[in-house]
Amino acid sequence: MKLIAAVPLVAILSAATPLAATGLSVSTSALERDAASVSTTVSVSWRNAWRNERNHDAVWLFVRVAGKDGRSRPVRVARSGHTATGSLEIRTPEDRAGVFVFPSAAHRGDVTTKVRLELDANSLPSDPVTAAVFGLEMVSIPAGPFFLGDVDPVALDYGGFFRAGQNGEPDGLFEVKSEAPIPVGPFAGGLDYRVKWAEYEGDRRGPVPAAFPKGTSPFYVMKYEITQGQYAAFLNTLGDEASHFRAIHGGRDYAKHRGSISLQSDGRYVAASPARPANRVSWDDGCAFADWAGLRPMTDLEYVKAARGPEKPLARAFPWGTASRARVLRVVRPDDELVTTGDANEKLLN
């Protein structure tokens, strides 16, 4: 599962300290106090960063502290005052659940920096003992319209969206132009789809309200899936009861299906293969992780926007960087590790 956040940039899901699961490493110093502020300094590095004329990647940093009771709590960052070494920009969303750090100019390559985060002292417990900064790699999705639907008519038999014609018949793609409500139904100009299995393909009622994020405003999505290292870090900040409900390593066949998280004798969860995607994450688990990270799940419309961009879709195009089922860019090796097979294609292949 991937997640989102907003400024109106929406962020979508991070990891523990230190962490080097997807090439991201975050290590935290102690809290620093003076008469006017509370801050912490973080060493951050990640691979394959970029910024071009279209978009950029970023790291989402968020802070949690524990008091003498050992309970982990989220901390809001200050509205301003954050600094980073090197040519980097820091963006703070309205809810101040964390910050985005990303190249401030055209860039392609690795990034290493020290980030000083100013914290909201009012959100700290009265007796903070430890602080930890967590991070997630993100990708910015630019503002702008996009298309729902598919040019392959076969997709309509599987719940594919289309713009309805005068009599409710399929009349091409549906363009999402703004965050305004979307009319839904079998009438001219409505967003519609065929209900083949009514028990799980929707009720065809609308409209899609203005408050529902549609993807035309800019937002961030996670660059990678939640990894097992990140999920173990999440579990380690939970209390005994909460970790019991959110643990995903139960069952005899967990290790046989690429699971590597285990509970150690000291009471901490450890992922032997921290870079692997976290399998067996339920919807509730993903939502709990998102809440922990100060993010939310992306909507289905945001997913389409992130996968397709502003262009009209090609028939049976795939969202993994190629137009071929045989040429996926990330595959599972015999040793159960997920690896890339080459550079992502900037354009779809025919």
Side-chain angles (χ1 to χ4, degrees):
M1 174 181 285
K2 293 186 181 178
L3 308 175
I4 276 190
V7 344
L9 295 160
V10 181
I12 299 170
L13 285 164
S14 172
T17 56
L19 181 71
T22 57
L24 172 64
S25 177
V26 178
S27 59
T28 315
S29 70
L31 290 175
E32 304 163 35
R33 291 178 176 270
D34 59 32
S37 67
V38 181
S39 64
T40 187
T41 301
V42 191
S43 296
V44 183
S45 63
W46 75 99
R47 298 194 300 264
N48 304 316
W50 84 88
R51 180 165 183 165
N52 56 31
E53 67 281 355
R54 183 173 55 189
N55 70 340
H56 60 267
D57 79 335
V59 168
W60 168 248
L61 298 174
F62 62 98
V63 185
R64 298 188 69 89
V65 301
K68 292 180 180 178
D69 60 2
R71 177 186 165 201
S72 174
R73 301 170 175 84
V75 175
R76 294 190 187 277
V77 299
R79 297 186 183 279
S80 60
H82 317 296
T83 60
T85 59
S87 301
L88 296 170
E89 183 176 336
I90 299 177
R91 180 173 291 154
T92 307
E94 283 298 316
D95 63 8
R96 297 183 287 122
V99 300
F100 297 99
V101 181
F102 53 92
S104 59
H107 178 89
R108 185 175 288 271
D110 299 346
V111 168
T112 298
T113 184
K114 283 189 178 294
V115 179
R116 183 182 176 90
L117 296 175
E118 296 293 333
L119 307 181
D120 179 354
N122 292 327
S123 68
L124 288 167
S126 59
D127 59 344
V129 174
T130 61
V133 180
F134 300 83
L136 284 173
E137 291 184 69
M138 313 292 286
V139 175
S140 71
I141 308 300
F146 66 101
F147 293 93
L148 296 175
D150 200 296
V151 294
D152 187 340
V154 174
L156 302 185
D157 293 330
Y158 293 90
F161 289 128
F162 58 84
R163 184 184 67 233
Q166 197 66 38
N167 298 310
E169 75 282 3
D171 188 31
L173 301 170
F174 187 96
E175 186 175 15
V176 182
K177 299 179 180 180
S178 73
E179 294 295 309
I182 296 176
V184 177
F187 48 80
L191 175 66
D192 202 12
Y193 55 96
R194 291 173 176 164
V195 179
K196 191 172 182 180
W197 296 284
E199 63 269 23
Y200 69 88
E201 285 209 4
D203 57 15
R204 299 173 72 192
R205 296 179 181 178
V208 180
F212 185 83
K214 300 169 189 66
T216 63
S217 294
F219 61 96
Y220 284 97
V221 299
M222 287 177 65
K223 188 190 290 187
Y224 305 107
E225 305 90 346
I226 301 171
T227 67
Q228 294 184 32
Q230 292 167 347
Y231 201 85
F234 159 62
L235 291 175
N236 284 330
T237 65
L238 304 181
D240 293 343
E241 185 174 358
S243 63
H244 169 79
F245 285 107
R246 296 280 73 87
I248 58 174
H249 63 287
R252 297 176 188 145
D253 62 348
Y254 175 68
K256 294 180 181 178
H257 291 86
R258 301 191 297 120
S260 74
I261 297 175
S262 61
L263 182 62
Q264 305 298 294
S265 59
D266 62 358
R268 294 188 62 78
Y269 292 93
V270 173
S273 297
R276 289 182 191 171
N279 51 338
R280 300 198 175 179
V281 174
S282 69
W283 173 255
D284 288 346
D285 295 333
C287 287
F289 185 95
D291 187 56
W292 172 77
L295 305 173
R296 65 164 172 82
M298 71 175 80
T299 67
D300 49 353
L301 300 191
E302 287 170 333
Y303 175 80
V304 173
K305 170 66 178 293
R308 285 182 172 171
E311 305 299 324
K312 290 185 177 180
L314 300 177
R316 304 190 186 189
F318 301 110
W320 48 68
T322 76
S324 167
R325 288 183 178 178
R327 295 184 61 190
V328 296
L329 293 179
R330 301 169 74 223
V331 297
V332 178
R333 293 187 316 208
D335 64 359
D336 288 337
E337 296 302 328
L338 185 67
V339 297
T340 58
T341 59
D343 294 333
N345 297 304
E346 295 292 334
K347 295 183 180 179
L348 287 171
L349 303 175
N350 293 322

